[in-house]
Amino acid sequence: MANDDFTISSLAAYLHMMPEQLAKLADRGKLPGRRVSGKWRFSQPEIHHWLETRIGVADDQQLAQMESTLERVQAQDTSVANGSHADGFHIGENAEDKISFCLHRLIPPEAIEIPLAAKTRSRAISAMAELAATTGLLWDPVQMAEAVAARETLFPTALENGVALLHPRRPQAANLSEAVVALGITDGAIPFGGRTLTDVFFLIGATDDHQHLRILARLSRMIGEEEWLAALRKASNAEEAHELLITRDEQLES
């Protein structure tokens, strides 16, 4: 058994679900796993991909539950020290305090471009990687762009609301000093692989799978609010967009 494999019991603890629930999902083929000597085993990369897929089709209530689960997982991580962090997490003075997640901390104004100079799918990807690199947190934008393009070939991240949540298939820890998210809004919507045109682009640069899932869940909740998304589209500059991100974060944390 690989060292990073979950058993039914360890996966249940990780996801805060009952082992019986997970066993039923696995038996029905709705949870990726394999039997070893008659017992279920689950690889961490496959479980994280499964969670990512669930985030992509969840409604706001389900996403809130997902965030709660991910928060509890983060609370168990003893590597998180007290205080504010550049990775978007904040914990109070006591370990029992709620760990909040402020996405706007990962999207500094310099990682926001309005308008984003891109008219094609390939240029949008490269422009977003270059934008993330202006923060100094992403070292090789070409490598990131190639990884994102490969992910888009497998499964486009463009959504029906005109937003694309760009990210590589796996986190690029070796290409990042810290997590970073970039935001670009084009003057006009462009074809990006979905059934509708796309004009709002987020690039997720995470250093590990858990961080990626928390960013993806929070972003999905943010853009699920139609009025907020409309206001974001009307932002005339990076500062206005960043204020909207702060406001939406505060709403979701309250």
Side-chain angles (χ1 to χ4, degrees), residues 155-172:
F155 189 82
T157 61
L159 305 173
E160 292 185 7
N161 60 2
V163 180
L165 304 178
L166 311 179
H167 58 270
R169 188 175 182 184
R170 294 298 307 276
Q172 290 197 326

Side-chain angles (χ1 to χ4, degrees), residues 51-84:
L51 286 168
E52 180 182 294
T53 302
R54 289 186 68 191
I55 288 172
V57 298
D59 58 25
D60 186 73
Q61 182 177 359
Q62 293 169 326
L63 286 169
Q65 292 173 346
M66 180 74 71
E67 279 207 90
S68 180
T69 295
L70 293 169
E71 180 185 308
R72 288 194 295 268
V73 171
Q74 182 66 25
Q76 295 171 350
D77 185 355
T78 56
S79 66
V80 177
N82 290 345
S84 298

Side-chain angles (χ1 to χ4, degrees), residues 103-104 106-116 127-128 131-132 134-135 180-185 201-202 232 235-246:
L103 183 65
H104 69 269
L106 304 183
I107 314 178
E110 60 266 30
I112 301 174
E113 186 168 321
I114 301 175
L116 180 72
M128 288 301 296
L131 179 59
T134 63
T135 64
V180 64
V181 178
L183 164 62
I185 304 176
F201 298 86
F202 287 93
L232 184 66
S236 59
N237 54 53
E239 288 70 25
E240 286 184 19
H242 195 253
E243 285 299 319
L244 286 167
L245 291 166
I246 294 173

